[in-house]
Amino acid sequence: MSLEKNEQGKILLQIARAAISRALHVSCAPAAVDENIAWLSQPGATFVTLTQWDELRGCIGSLQACDPLIEDVSNNAVSAALYDPRFIPLAADELDTVNLEVSLLSELQSLDFTSEADALAQLRPSIDGVVFEYGPYRSTFLPQVWESLPQPRQFLARLKAKARLSEDFWAEDIRLSRYTVSKWRETDYSREYAHG
């Protein structure tokens, strides 16, 4: 990937915002992707997070790189804006009040552990995104969630709760995987780039 990460992030954010704008039938400057299409056509896994007045407004993503990156980020942006079941769909007149963040995920790495204490000891606060799996139950937290849940025990407990299990649940056949992210926020870029 020849583009520097900062420029890559700017393009992914533009693609995400343009996709939401199209879905809401709002005019928006197209993302500048013509000369950079090669890396965008490679498979990629992203999460798109919307915040509004510093509160979560939607977050949807992919854990595995199956679709071309440009499709993955576009689809997840629209899903986060309109189909996150925790929120009512974003309205067109709200578009200027939300800020976007795009996280590009690494490949998942399975963790080997002998107990919950062993699993907790392997987690790297502020670095690891974690996927929890037990039978049909599955959940994930991005590494950004460590900001509000800085202790591994608390982080894992809330991850279990997100999977609709009790926070003290443990079983031998629990599976945990981790990943890292490169992330970009619209608010990290200068005012000339910012929307609105």
Side-chain angles (χ1 to χ4, degrees):
M1 204 173 290
S2 56
L3 275 184
E4 77 166 86
K5 279 198 177 287
N6 196 43
E7 193 62 24
Q8 180 189 3
K10 185 182 286 192
I11 291 168
L12 290 173
L13 286 165
Q14 290 172 347
I15 291 168
R17 182 164 285 278
I20 296 171
S21 297
R22 279 194 306 276
L24 293 174
H25 309 290
V26 174
S27 62
C28 175
V33 299
D34 297 342
E35 69 280 12
N36 307 304
I37 201 71
W39 65 272
L40 289 168
S41 64
Q42 301 298 312
T46 63
F47 268 73
V48 178
T49 304
L50 280 65
T51 54
Q52 186 177 45
W53 303 300
D54 295 323
E55 297 286 334
L56 183 65
R57 184 61 176 84
C59 182
I60 298 283
S62 310
L63 287 169
Q64 293 180 309
C66 298
D67 296 325
L69 181 56
I70 190 169
E71 289 179 22
D72 192 77
V73 76
S74 297
N75 293 339
N76 288 333
V78 172
S79 293
L82 301 180
Y83 303 114
D84 186 327
R86 298 168 293 180
F87 302 96
I88 60 168
L90 193 72
D93 62 0
E94 290 183 280
L95 191 53
D96 283 341
T97 68
V98 295
N99 288 296
L100 305 186
E101 177 176 296
V102 172
S103 299
L104 179 61
L105 279 62
S106 69
E107 285 189 33
L108 294 180
Q109 174 195 9
S110 293
L111 290 180
D112 291 320
F113 48 87
T114 56
S115 64
E116 184 171 18
D118 184 21
L120 289 169
Q122 294 184 50
L123 297 183
R124 300 173 299 179
S126 303
I127 297 172
D128 290 335
V130 180
V131 180
F132 172 94
E133 294 175 281
Y134 175 70
Y137 303 98
R138 190 177 200 209
S139 61
T140 190
F141 279 149
L142 294 170
Q144 294 89 310
V145 175
W146 288 104
E147 294 170 19
S148 54
L149 299 170
Q151 300 302 319
R153 184 168 297 283
Q154 181 188 28
F155 186 94
L156 185 57
R158 295 301 299 274
L159 195 54
K160 289 185 274 189
K162 187 179 179 186
R164 299 173 194 252
L165 294 164
S166 68
E167 292 193 355
D168 60 359
F169 176 82
W170 190 255
E172 279 187 16
D173 44 351
I174 283 172
R175 290 184 297 157
L176 295 173
S177 305
R178 68 176 163 205
Y179 56 89
T180 57
V181 301
S182 298
K183 67 179 190 298
W184 303 272
R185 295 181 175 110
E186 287 181 327
T187 53
D188 292 337
Y189 290 89
S190 65
R191 200 58 216 156
E192 41 90 0
Y193 165 65
H195 58 276

